[in-house]
Amino acid sequence: SSDLNLFKLSTALRWALLGLTFSEISNSIFEGSVVPSIIIVGLPAWALAFNRTFGVISDFMSPAAAWIVDKFGSFASLSAAEFCEGLLCLIVAILPHSWLGWKWSLLALGCLLLVTGQIIDVASEIFEVDISGDNEEMLIEYSGYVGIIMSVGGTLFGTVLGSALTSISITLVLIISSVLSFACTLTRFLSRGSILSATSVSLNDDNDDNETDAQHGISQRHTTKSMRIILLSCTFFLSLIPSLYGGYTTLGYADKLGSHITTVIYAVTGVATIASSYMYLRASKKFSLRIIGCAGVISMIIGLIFLSIPIFWSALIGWALMDLGYSCTARPLIVSRQLLIEHDLLTKFSGWARLASALAAAGGSWLGWIISQHYTWQILPTLSLVPAIILLPAVWSSLHKGRK
């Protein structure tokens, strides 16, 4: 379609998209290699549980990551963290495999990458705003391509590739991840260089007018404390819903209909994720983020109703609608806070939003486990309707509405 044109983005944002692609593939290749690596090098089974637990712990480091980004800036924090990831992967890759501690270095590497990942997540959100040149429409369009890259490049391509390459050589996986991380770091310099060059030309052409324009785009945004609290609650409830019902409902369906259904569920949700990314990209050109987000929540509500009916086709429809709705709500929520939160508050807000998401994920998982132990698992999708219904008016009142 003619309206799907990467060249509508600025040069800086196109470099940023390339960097995101490198980063997403690098991370997903490593993630796909974790379980096969544990098996190949003979790490004990608890290593996987430790890695997952450390992942949850690292989520609670988000405010600390926001402090680092706030102190050193989005560009310095982002490029340094991504360079550090490449260096760490390279160091572990060249360590002698005969060394007894080498296999444990893989576990340590996985934990360290989770820490640097927190800095990258916060810094990239601010960096995208910085290089967008205060162009609201361009930032929204950029976010559509982000969804496509994350679903196809990461979920579909990178993870599968990482798992396959691990059986050939763990060192090869580490070297590829390292090279991609270094390449990603380079694109950050190219992104920043492009936006600085464009700014310089703009100021030379018409210093007064263009400087005024640059200062009265996104920089003029202002949110009240109550609005920020509502945006924060949207993040909390959006994370709470899948953690409350997801894993336990999957186990319940597998127990009732057979273990084969889990494979089908994963396939359906994978397709739904890719479809939702494309739908968001198209819809963001025609509708406001508020409309897209509300449509996503409604899709989630309908999906939860289908998931409450324990039959095969109802389960597939339910999971497809849930994943579709979740993706179409999550992306507008992130972009809305980029557009609405004042620049000097955005870094801290991003850190606290990730903490709220971590709290909801941990709390929802334990709450779902407790309920599934005392009641039937079928009650979990129905119970999840409560935060989903609360989420709908919160999304309507807080998401960005300045689109067409």
Side-chain angles (χ1 to χ4, degrees), residues 240-251:
L240 176 67
I241 295 167
S243 64
L244 182 61
Y245 83 89
Y248 309 107
T249 303
T250 302
L251 291 174

Side-chain angles (χ1 to χ4, degrees), residues 192-204:
R192 189 166 182 259
S194 296
I195 195 64
L196 289 176
S197 298
T199 302
S200 176
V201 171
S202 176
L203 290 174
N204 288 334

Side-chain angles (χ1 to χ4, degrees), residues 26 29-30 33 37 85-95 97 102 105-106 109-110 113 165-166 169-182:
S26 174
I29 282 177
F30 184 83
S33 72
S37 294
E85 286 194 340
L87 188 61
L88 288 169
C89 287
L90 185 60
I91 290 172
V92 175
I94 62 178
L95 286 175
H97 293 198
W102 182 75
S105 70
L106 292 174
L109 175 62
L113 293 183
L165 289 176
T166 306
S169 171
I170 296 175
T171 301
L172 178 62
V173 171
L174 294 173
I175 290 175
I176 291 175
S177 291
S178 177
V179 170
L180 288 171
S181 293
F182 288 142

Side-chain angles (χ1 to χ4, degrees), residues 35-365:
V35 175
S37 294
I38 288 175
I39 297 172
I40 291 171
V41 303
L43 281 171
W46 60 259
L48 180 60
F50 181 84
N51 182 264
R52 295 286 188 264
T53 303
F54 194 88
V56 175
I57 294 173
S58 69
D59 287 337
F60 289 88
M61 300 178 186
S62 294
W67 179 85
I68 291 173
V69 176
D70 194 41
K71 183 174 180 61
F72 297 101
S74 62
F75 167 73
S77 302
L78 183 59
S79 55
E82 287 167 340
F83 181 83
C84 184
E85 286 194 340
L87 188 61
L88 288 169
C89 287
L90 185 60
I91 290 172
V92 175
I94 62 178
L95 286 175
H97 293 198
S98 57
W99 178 47
L100 294 177
W102 182 75
K103 66 180 182 180
W104 295 105
S105 70
L106 292 174
L107 179 60
L109 175 62
C111 293
L112 288 172
L113 293 183
L114 289 170
V115 175
T116 55
Q118 288 296 323
I119 298 174
I120 290 171
D121 285 345
V122 175
S124 60
E125 187 171 325
I126 313 305
F127 186 68
E128 290 164 5
V129 176
D130 290 342
I131 66 171
S132 67
D134 286 345
N135 189 318
E136 176 183 299
E137 301 295 314
M138 198 175 290
L139 183 59
I140 293 174
E141 181 153 342
Y142 171 87
S143 72
Y145 291 106
V146 168
I148 296 288
I149 291 171
M150 293 182 71
S151 59
V152 178
T155 305
L156 184 64
F157 176 72
T159 305
V160 175
L161 180 62
S163 180
L165 289 176
T166 306
S167 61
I168 301 173
S169 171
I170 296 175
T171 301
L172 178 62
V173 171
L174 294 173
I175 290 175
I176 291 175
S177 291
S178 177
V179 170
L180 288 171
S181 293
F182 288 142
C184 180
T185 304
L186 176 61
T187 64
R188 304 310 183 187
F189 283 89
L190 293 170
S191 292
R192 189 166 182 259
S194 296
I195 195 64
L196 289 176
S197 298
T199 302
S200 176
V201 171
S202 176
L203 290 174
N204 288 334
D205 287 343
D206 192 348
N207 186 60
D208 293 333
D209 291 342
N210 287 337
E211 185 175 7
T212 301
D213 290 340
Q215 293 174 347
H216 288 80
I218 298 177
S219 302
Q220 289 296 309
R221 47 201 170 162
H222 176 73
T223 53
T224 62
K225 185 176 181 180
S226 61
M227 178 66 76
R228 294 194 292 273
I229 291 174
I230 294 174
L231 278 168
L232 205 61
S233 68
C234 287
T235 301
F236 179 86
F237 286 121
L238 188 63
S239 182
L240 176 67
I241 295 167
S243 64
L244 182 61
Y245 83 89
Y248 309 107
T249 303
T250 302
L251 291 174
Y253 269 106
D255 182 62
K256 183 178 179 61
L257 302 176
S259 60
H260 66 279
I261 195 174
T262 57
T263 303
V264 180
I265 288 170
Y266 293 148
V268 167
T269 54
V271 172
T273 299
I274 295 173
S276 65
S277 299
Y278 181 75
M279 289 174 63
Y280 170 75
L281 177 61
R282 297 301 300 270
S284 64
K285 300 173 184 298
K286 300 178 181 179
F287 305 103
S288 70
L289 296 176
R290 169 184 283 183
I291 295 296
I292 299 170
C294 287
V297 177
I298 292 171
S299 176
M300 291 171 65
I301 291 173
I302 297 173
L304 288 169
I305 294 173
F306 274 101
L307 284 174
S308 302
I309 306 171
I311 59 177
F312 182 76
W313 289 110
S314 180
L316 297 188
I317 294 172
W319 256 290
L321 289 173
M322 270 301 303
D323 205 73
L324 190 71
Y326 185 91
S327 298
C328 286
T329 306
R331 179 50 54 180
L333 179 59
I334 294 173
V335 179
S336 287
R337 67 187 186 218
Q338 288 178 307
L339 295 174
L340 296 174
I341 303 295
E342 298 90 320
H343 196 281
D344 57 341
L345 296 176
L346 182 57
T347 305
K348 292 179 181 178
F349 185 88
S350 179
W352 287 109
R354 283 171 169 78
L355 177 61
S357 180
L359 288 170
S365 296

